[in-house]
C-alpha cells in the first residue's frame, strides 16, 4: 500500500539505525506519547535497532488506557438499561470496569454495538427513533473532530435520541504533567503525528522552551519513528530544545483549520481525570453549554463517584514512562489479554498488550 | 486511537446540493473501499491520498514531503562518504 510499504523498508531502517549509532555519545531517554507509536515500535522491533544508550519509554497516549474506571462503570450502567443502544469503538468493550466490562453487558442481552465512525451511531439513532442511542466518545485530539461532527450533525438534524458519553483527553497537558513530576526522567519527546495533523504543533513551543526538551512530531511507520528518534537524539547531542516536524507529509504547522473550528464549537476544555495519573487541569474536552443536551451523563442523571483500582495493576506507572510492562509481577501470569487487570493490557494500543502480543518480555 | 490510514480518493459524491460538511468520497485502502467524510479536507480531489481516521479524512498526504524521509537518508549517506576519507587520512 502506498505511503505505508515504503516506510517499512528494512534496508532503510538499518541505515537509519546505523546513522543513529554514529551520533549517539551519551545515554538518552525519549518518550513516545502515542499508543499507535508504541505498538509500531514493539511490533517492528524498533527498540532492538536502537543503540543501547537510547531508551524509548512509552507515554500515556492511549485514550482507552487513561479513561477513568468510573467512566467505564457509567458506560456499563447506561448500556445495561432497556431501550438503550450503546455504541462504541471496539477496544472499549473489554476494558474492565469495577465488576464487568461492556462485552459482558452485550453477552447478557444489552444492545451494545461496535461502530467504525461516530457518524454510524448518529445513523443508528435516526433509524431507531424509539431508542436512546449513546456513543462512547473516547479519544485524543485526533478523534475529537469526528466526535464533534456527530453532535454537530445530530443538533442540526434534530436527532433528539442521540447523546455522547465523553472521555476526551489532550496531549500537551499530559506531557507537562509528566515533565513537571519529581520522578521524571524523560529528556525528549516524539509527539503524536495524527494529534498534530489536527492541532498543528504550535502548542509545543512553550513546552519545549520551558522544560528544555526537544519535541519531534513523528509518524507511525518504522522509518518515521527511526527518523523521529534520530532528529531527537541529534538535538539532544547538540544541546538544542526545539519543536521539529518529521511527519511533514501529513502535518502542517497550523494543523487542520475546519477541524479545529468544529471542535471549538462543540467542545470546551475542562479538567479531566486520567486513569493511573490523576486529575490534570485543562486536560480534557467536555461538551460546550449549547450542546449540553447531548451529554449522556446529564441525560441519564449519573452522579459523580470514585472507584478503587485493582491493587496489582501498575498501569499508571507504565503510562508515565516510569515502569515497563515486564516490571509488573502480574504481567503474563495473572494479567493477560484474555484476563486483563487494567487498561494497558486490554487496549490494542496499550503498552502491556503490545509487549505481550509481540513477546518482548 | 491515533491510527489513521492513507487511502486514495476514487470518487467524490456529487455535492452541489449538499452542505460542504457532508461532502463524502469513496476511498480505497489498498483495494478495500470505504465511504469517508471529507468535511475536514475541502480541497481534496479525486486521485489525492488522504489520511483517514474513524471515517473522516484528516489531511491530504503531500507527495513531495513524503519523499523527504528517503532524501534525508541519502543526504546522511553522502555526508558519511565525505567524512570517511578524512578519517582514513588520520
Amino acid at each position: 500500500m502506498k505511503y505505508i510499504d515504503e516506510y517499512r523498508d528494512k534496508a532503510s531502517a538499518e541505515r537509519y539505525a546505523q546513522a543513529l549509532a554514529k551520533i549517539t555519545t551519551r545515554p538518552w531517554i525519549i518518550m513516545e506519547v502515542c499508543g499507535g507509536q508504541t505498538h509500531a515500535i514493539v511490533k517492528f522491533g524498533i527498540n532492538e535497532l536502537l543503540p543501547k544508550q537510547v531508551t524509548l519509554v512509552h507515554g500515556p497516549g492511549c485514550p482507552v488506557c487513561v479513561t477513568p474506571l468510573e467512566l467505564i462503570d457509567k458506560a456499563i450502567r447506561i448500556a445495561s438499561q432497556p431501550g438503550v443502544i450503546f455504541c462504541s469503538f471496539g477496544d472499549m468493550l473489554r476494558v474492565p470496569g469495577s465488576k464487568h466490562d461492556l462485552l459482558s453487558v452485550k453477552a447478557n442481552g444489552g444492545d451494545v454495538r461496535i461502530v467504525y465512525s461516530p457518524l454510524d451511531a448518529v445513523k443508528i439513532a435516526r433509524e431507531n427513533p424509539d431508542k436512546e442511542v449513546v456513543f462512547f466518545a473516547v479519544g485524543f485530539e485526533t478523534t475529537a473532530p469526528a466526535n464533534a461532527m456527530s453532535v454537530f450533525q445530530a443538533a442540526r438534524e434534530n436527532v433528539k435520541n442521540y447523546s455522547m458519553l465523553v472521555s476526551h483527553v489532550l496531549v500537551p497537558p499530559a506531557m507537562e504533567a509528566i515533565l513537571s513530576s519529581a520522578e521524571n526522567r524523560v529528556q525528549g519527546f516524539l509527539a503524536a503525528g495524527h494529534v498534530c495533523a489536527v492541532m498543528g504543533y504550535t502548542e509545543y513551543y512553550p513546552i519545549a522552551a520551558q522544560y528544555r526538551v526537544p519535541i519531534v512530531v513523528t509518524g507511525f511507520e518504522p522509518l518515521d519513528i527511526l527518523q523521529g528518534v534520530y532528529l531527537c537524539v541529534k538535538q539532544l547531542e547538540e544541546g538544542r530544545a526545539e519543536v521539529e516536524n518529521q511527519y511533514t507529509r501529513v502535518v502542517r504547522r497550523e494543523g487542520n483549520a475546519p477541524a479545529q473550528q468544529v471542535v471549538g464549537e462543540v467542545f470546551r476544555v475542562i479538567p479531566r481525570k486520567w486513569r493511573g495519573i490523576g486529575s490534570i487541569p485543562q486536560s480534557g474536552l467536555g461538551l460546550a453549554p449549547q450542546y449540553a443536551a447531548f451529554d449522556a451523563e446529564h441525560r441519564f442523571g449519573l452522579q459523580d463517584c470514585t472507584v478503587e483500582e485493582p491493587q496489582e495493576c501498575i498501569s499508571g506507572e507504565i503510562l508515565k514512562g516510569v515502569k515497563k510492562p515486564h516490571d509488573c509481577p502480574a504481567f503474563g501470569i495473572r494479567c493477560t489479554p484474555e484476563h486483563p487487570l487494567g487498561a494497558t493490557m486490554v487496549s490494542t494500543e496499550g503498552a502491556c498488550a503490545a509487549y505481550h502480543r509481540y513477546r518482548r518480555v | 486511537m491515533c491510527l489513521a490510514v492513507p487511502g486514495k480518493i476514487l470518487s467524490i459524491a456529487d455535492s452541489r446540493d449538499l452542505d460542504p460538511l457532508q461532502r463524502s468520497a469513496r476511498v480505497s485502502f489498498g483495494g478495500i473501499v470505504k465511504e469517508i467524510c471529507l468535511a475536514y479536507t475541502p480541497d481534496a480531489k479525486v486521485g489525492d491520498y488522504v489520511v483517514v481516521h474513524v471515517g473522516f479524512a484528516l489531511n491530504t498526504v503531500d507527495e513531495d514531503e513524503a519523499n523527504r524521509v528517503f532524501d534525508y537518508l541519502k543526504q546522511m549517506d553522502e555526508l558519511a562518504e565525505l567524512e570517511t576519507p578524512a578519517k582514513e587520512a588520520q
Side-chain angles (χ1 to χ4, degrees):
Chain A
M1 274 176 64
K2 192 170 174 179
Y3 296 123
I4 291 186
D5 295 342
E6 56 271 52
Y7 297 96
R8 297 187 184 183
D9 174 54
K10 191 168 178 221
S12 302
E14 281 166 1
R15 279 155 69 199
Y16 260 114
Q18 281 159 18
L20 183 53
K22 263 213 205 118
I23 61 167
T24 308
T25 65
R26 276 167 287 173
W28 299 114
I29 296 177
I30 297 173
M31 174 177 274
E32 38 82 8
V33 179
C34 184
Q37 290 167 336
T38 309
H39 206 71
I41 287 164
V42 183
K43 178 176 173 180
F44 293 103
I46 291 171
N47 262 329
E48 281 146 42
L49 286 177
L50 303 177
K52 286 201 163 51
Q53 301 112 306
V54 177
T55 307
L56 280 183
V57 293
H58 314 301
C62 166
V64 173
C65 304
V66 300
T67 297
L69 201 52
E70 43 267 47
L71 214 56
I72 310 276
D73 286 348
K74 285 181 188 177
I76 290 171
R77 275 170 64 185
I78 295 173
S80 305
Q81 290 190 24
V84 168
I85 301 177
F86 194 86
C87 301
S88 172
F89 296 127
D91 47 5
M92 288 310 294
L93 256 62
R94 293 194 321 114
V95 179
S98 310
K99 297 199 190 71
H100 314 288
D101 55 32
L102 283 166
L103 196 62
S104 54
V105 173
K106 188 175 165 75
N108 285 320
D111 196 342
V112 178
R113 305 189 195 182
I114 296 175
V115 293
Y116 165 63
S117 161
L119 293 183
D120 297 338
V122 180
K123 184 161 181 277
I124 292 171
R126 270 189 227 107
E127 291 166 357
N128 295 271
D130 54 329
K131 304 268 174 146
E132 273 296 320
V133 177
V134 182
F135 178 67
F136 203 176
V138 175
F140 275 97
E141 293 93 323
T142 322
T143 321
N147 292 340
M149 183 62 81
S150 75
V151 170
F152 194 76
Q153 274 189 13
R156 277 187 344 172
E157 296 170 25
N158 219 12
V159 182
K160 288 207 152 75
N161 58 330
Y162 177 72
S163 63
M164 263 187 358
L165 183 62
V166 183
S167 175
H168 258 290
V169 278
L170 303 171
V171 171
M175 280 169 64
E176 286 201 80
I178 288 168
L179 285 165
S180 54
S181 149
E183 57 191 355
N184 175 52
R185 311 169 305 149
V186 177
Q187 297 159 306
F189 281 93
L190 300 187
H194 294 135
V195 166
C196 294
V198 173
M199 300 302 293
Y201 48 89
T202 53
E203 297 174 286
Y204 299 94
Y205 290 121
I207 300 177
Q210 186 182 343
Y211 297 94
R212 297 277 315 145
V213 284
I215 300 176
V216 180
V217 179
T218 304
F220 297 80
E221 296 299 327
L223 288 194
D224 292 318
I225 295 170
L226 281 164
Q227 189 183 24
V229 173
Y230 179 87
L231 293 171
C232 197
V233 169
K234 190 161 192 285
Q235 283 204 41
L236 288 166
E237 291 281 338
E238 293 170 6
R240 290 181 289 130
E242 294 157 6
V243 179
E244 234 181 309
N245 183 8
Q246 178 278 331
Y247 199 26
T248 54
R249 63 186 184 277
V250 170
V251 177
R252 278 115 221 171
R253 190 172 174 274
E254 305 303 327
N256 184 318
Q260 290 172 26
Q261 209 177 339
V262 178
V263 171
E265 156 87 18
V266 173
F267 288 114
R268 62 199 162 100
V269 177
I270 56 169
R272 274 242 173 243
K273 183 176 170 193
W274 293 56
R275 188 171 184 177
I277 297 177
S279 187
I280 303 178
Q282 307 286 81
S283 68
L285 294 176
L287 283 167
Q290 64 265 41
Y291 293 95
F294 292 93
D295 189 335
E297 284 190 75
H298 292 172
R299 195 175 287 199
F300 289 84
L302 293 170
Q303 304 302 321
D304 257 78
C305 52
T306 42
V307 185
E308 290 302 309
E309 294 278 347
Q311 298 282 5
E312 252 199 310
C313 180
I314 63 164
S315 281
E317 288 171 284
I318 292 177
L319 291 167
K320 284 183 282 193
V322 173
K323 290 231 165 92
K324 290 236 167 140
H326 45 249
D327 293 328
C328 176
F331 176 78
I333 308 168
R334 288 176 295 286
C335 184
T336 62
E338 296 76 37
H339 297 106
L341 287 182
T344 45
M345 181 59 88
V346 175
S347 170
T348 46
E349 290 176 353
C352 298
Y355 273 58
H356 195 276
R357 185 168 171 192
Y358 300 110
R359 296 275 181 255
R360 301 200 191 286
V361 180
Chain B
M1 231 67 254
C2 257
L3 287 176
V5 188
K8 185 175 183 179
I9 297 179
L10 299 179
S11 62
I12 297 180
D14 180 13
S15 55
R16 269 168 303 172
D17 298 324
L18 268 182
D19 175 13
L21 287 180
Q22 291 183 311
R23 192 165 161 255
S24 71
R26 289 179 68 245
V27 177
S28 168
F29 303 93
I32 298 172
V33 181
K34 287 181 103 103
E35 175 117 358
I36 300 298
C37 180
L38 295 187
Y40 298 128
T41 50
D43 300 329
K45 315 175 294 296
V46 172
D48 282 349
Y49 276 81
V50 283
V51 164
V52 177
H53 177 67
V54 300
F56 284 77
L58 290 185
N59 260 332
T60 45
V61 182
D62 185 320
E63 175 128 34
D64 292 330
E65 293 293 346
N67 291 320
R68 281 262 224 112
V69 177
F70 306 98
D71 293 341
Y72 196 82
L73 205 51
K74 253 196 288 184
Q75 277 173 33
M76 285 196 301
D77 279 350
E78 284 162 16
L79 207 61
E81 277 169 47
L82 286 175
E83 283 172 359
T84 325
K87 284 196 180 137
E88 281 175 353
Q90 283 168 1

